[in-house]
Amino acid sequence: MRRRSFLAVVGWLATAAVATLIGVAAIEWVGESIAGTPGGVLSQEEVERALASPAPTVPGAGGPSSPAESGTGGPPSPGATGTAPAGVRRAFATTGGSAVAECGPGGVRLVSWTPAPGYRVSDAEQGPDDDVEVTFVGPTGEVELKVRCVGLEPVSAEDD
């Protein structure tokens, strides 16, 4: 009887350990697919360095149509699609998260946005428009980032 109880406890512990390992692996896999950044979140310096380097362009391609498709796509090459060249891309950081915006003929547009740890995006107006905004919600409340163009340069704007 004692041996049977011992085997039951050992079997239960082994099953719990295997289930825990499978659960941890599943959470890591799902987390990477949700965030879309298997390498992790980029630092401000990495974002600026990536924005400073020229983005590869494919003749005839018009770039991404939404951040879900590609948050790092470059502007279309002038003449390749018959569109006017885009303006400057600039990264903005807040306590709630960060965003990249660029100005073009249609106004300002959000290229990508990423909430900070503990925050989530509650609303994002991608544009292009006169101004765009993304709202992050987290432990300190709501943090809103609003951007508009001055010339072809995106700048942070005060809320109206």
Side-chain angles (χ1 to χ4, degrees), residues 29-49:
W29 178 73
V30 169
E32 286 180 1
S33 66
I34 290 173
T37 55
V41 177
L42 299 177
S43 69
Q44 182 69 27
E45 293 80 26
E46 290 170 323
V47 169
E48 289 173 1
R49 190 171 33 251

Side-chain angles (χ1 to χ4, degrees), residues 92 101-110 125-133 145-158 160:
F92 298 89
E102 77 177 357
C103 295
V108 65
R109 79 175 181 98
L110 286 176
E125 296 174 16
Q126 184 179 353
D129 204 347
D130 291 338
D131 54 54
V132 293
E133 59 188 67
L145 173 63
K146 189 171 190 176
V147 179
R148 64 176 43 143
C149 291
V150 174
L152 286 179
E153 174 105 18
V155 295
S156 178
E158 294 295 320
D160 295 338

Side-chain angles (χ1 to χ4, degrees), residues 91-143:
F92 298 89
T94 68
T95 56
S98 60
V100 177
E102 77 177 357
C103 295
V108 65
R109 79 175 181 98
L110 286 176
V111 176
S112 65
W113 53 90
T114 305
Y119 286 80
R120 65 177 175 80
V121 175
S122 71
D123 187 34
E125 296 174 16
Q126 184 179 353
D129 204 347
D130 291 338
D131 54 54
V132 293
E133 59 188 67
V134 59
T135 305
F136 304 103
V137 178
T140 62
E142 199 170 90
V143 179

